[in-house]
Amino acid sequence: MKILAFAEQREGKFKKSAFEVTQTAKGIADKLGAELTVLVIGNNIEGILPELGAYGASRVIAAQDARLQFYSTTAYAKITAEVVQKEQASVLFFPASQMGKDLAPRIAAKLSAGMAADCTTLKVEAGEIIATRPVYAGKAMLDVKVVSPIKIFTLRPNVFTAIAKDSSPVTIEKFTSQLTDTDFSAKVTAVKVAEGRPDVTEAGIIVSGGRGMKGPEHFNLIEKLADVLGGAVGASRAVIDAGWRPHDEQVGQTGKTVSPTLYIACGISGAIQHIAGMSSSKYIVAINKDKDAPIFQIADYGIVGDVFDVLPPLTEELKKALGK
Ligand SMILES: Cc1cc2nc3c(=O)[nH]c(=O)nc-3n(C[C@H](O)[C@H](O)[C@H](O)COP(=O)(O)OP(=O)(O)OC[C@H]3O[C@@H](n4cnc5c(N)ncnc54)[C@H](O)[C@@H]3O)c2cc1C
């Protein structure tokens, strides 16, 4: 059996999810007695490929082309499908990142493969991969066995571990696809990277504000706490719809799915659509003046209080504790 893991990089740097997918795929490959190959697509990527050795990769296929500097749905899908066919891989792993969510379903359609999306746990039972994934906006967890000949799994970022071990040598093979203009029918022409705080999908800590913050002018309290903790700023949809914060900070069913180690929800009620996007956070802290707010049902730690009374001293104490 052959397993292919897709390692996402952007601008010559691996995303953390690349290591999570590689290490998870290696664990599954070992349990199944399968061979693992990791696929990396992009431009100027040679230098980073050996990094995958620390996460269990021993063979990497690199598809490199100047036209692949930015992600291209159609070109990436073509290359990946070609590599799967050439390698005769029957199990594929992708991150459930923005890129993976766009790419994996296309590969599934191209190869008539069944897919389990946004998995939060994987195990092997009687030689079969069993994936657990949230359904009904996180209200239930479903165990899924994919029965098609080619099986695809996308892994929720930040849920699976990626711990660098002693690096083993990595064999690197080049793959060249005959790309034409039609393979770039949709083209990214420029990427503007937001400066400052990390993106909510990649942050280990998120401080998130809801309608209880009362107005955009009070989000400086959220920003200060996020900066002390080195975290990202998130928001509920009510806040985004009111135009208080930019859209890319929205957490939830119609926003981003996040799984940080620590999620601090400030003045957020805990509507099911918000919880759908953050319930897999490791530790959830809720600050809300209503002791019956639904967010407390999923919080590990709850502070019943007014955000305007709680946030300033909390930030000050953390500053002292962290020596900042
Ligand atoms: C199809 C659909 C998709 C949706 N997608 C999303 C989504 O992706 N993300 C999302 O977040 N929502 C989403 N929603 C909206 C969701 O249903 C809620 O309306 C929204 O999450 C509420 O945001 P909130 O918690 O900030 O506001 P509210 O529900 O108004 O809650 C504000 C909270 O702040 C508390 N509060 C008020 N003042 C203070 C204070 N001074 N100190 C402390 N606490 C205070 C209140 O007790 C209350 O609990 C979606 C809805 C639909 C129908």
Side-chain angles (χ1 to χ4, degrees):
M1 182 189 284
K2 290 192 172 176
I3 294 183
L4 190 78
F6 177 86
E8 177 177 341
Q9 65 79 36
R10 298 240 189 200
E11 318 223 322
K13 277 194 194 132
F14 279 122
K15 293 285 179 183
K16 187 169 157 253
S17 64
F19 304 136
E20 293 166 4
V21 168
T22 302
Q23 200 158 60
T24 305
K26 173 67 176 155
I28 297 286
D30 286 349
K31 284 187 186 142
L32 291 171
E35 254 175 64
L36 171 67
T37 300
V38 183
L39 172 65
V40 186
I41 302 177
N43 187 33
N44 289 331
I45 50 176
E46 312 93 328
I48 58 170
L49 302 175
E51 290 176 31
L52 295 168
Y55 300 90
S58 53
R59 179 169 179 251
V60 173
I61 293 182
Q64 193 160 211
D65 190 307
R67 291 169 295 174
L68 298 168
Q69 175 72 18
F70 297 132
Y71 173 64
S72 155
T73 302
T74 38
Y76 269 52
K78 181 179 179 185
I79 294 167
T80 308
E82 285 176 359
V83 171
V84 171
Q85 281 165 333
K86 181 174 164 269
E87 292 293 314
Q88 296 284 297
S90 57
V91 176
L92 320 181
F93 292 105
F94 293 85
S97 58
Q98 304 288 323
M99 188 190 284
K101 281 180 184 172
D102 184 62
L103 182 60
R106 281 176 185 268
I107 310 294
K110 270 180 184 287
L111 303 175
S112 302
M115 182 171 125
D118 208 14
C119 304
T120 52
T121 317
L122 290 174
K123 61 186 173 198
V124 173
E125 272 177 15
E128 299 276 2
I129 301 171
I130 310 290
T132 304
R133 56 182 298 268
V135 287
Y136 301 121
K139 275 221 175 256
M141 303 303 279
L142 190 72
D143 280 355
V144 189
K145 187 165 91 180
V146 182
V147 295
S148 50
I150 298 179
K151 305 166 189 7
I152 300 184
F153 302 90
T154 69
L155 313 188
R156 184 176 281 197
N158 276 338
V159 172
F160 294 85
T161 45
I163 299 168
K165 304 205 169 120
D166 284 346
S167 194
S168 43
V170 178
T171 309
I172 294 164
E173 291 169 35
K174 285 188 183 156
F175 181 83
T176 308
S177 178
Q178 300 308 317
L179 297 169
T180 63
D181 284 351
T182 50
D183 296 316
F184 293 91
S185 50
K187 211 173 189 174
V188 177
T189 52
V191 173
K192 283 189 190 159
V193 180
E195 281 173 20
R197 300 181 189 90
D199 184 77
V200 284
T201 54
E202 290 176 11
I205 296 176
I206 300 173
V207 185
S208 215
R211 194 147 37 194
M213 294 306 298
K214 308 283 191 232
E217 67 279 15
H218 298 130
F219 265 74
N220 64 335
L221 296 175
I222 300 280
E223 290 175 343
K224 276 185 192 156
L225 180 54
D227 290 344
V228 166
L229 297 171
V233 170
S236 69
R237 176 159 158 183
V239 162
I240 306 300
D241 286 352
W244 296 357
R245 298 296 298 181
H247 194 268
D248 65 336
E249 290 180 1
Q250 186 186 322
V251 172
Q253 190 182 321
T254 43
K256 290 178 176 170
T257 303
V258 299
S259 299
T261 308
L262 175 63
Y263 188 90
I264 305 179
C266 310
I268 292 177
S269 59
I272 180 67
Q273 297 90 355
H274 187 81
I275 288 174
M278 46 63 81
S279 59
S280 57
S281 305
K282 198 158 185 198
Y283 296 103
I284 297 170
V285 176
I287 307 169
N288 197 302
K289 66 178 184 184
D290 174 9
K291 69 172 176 36
D292 296 320
I295 191 81
F296 287 128
Q297 288 169 19
I298 60 151
D300 298 286
Y301 299 94
I303 301 173
V304 179
D306 190 311
V307 283
F308 300 103
D309 296 332
V310 175
L311 282 174
L314 179 65
T315 306
E316 276 315 304
E317 288 306 318
L318 282 168
K319 229 186 206 173
K320 279 188 226 157
L322 297 170
K324 293 201 173 171

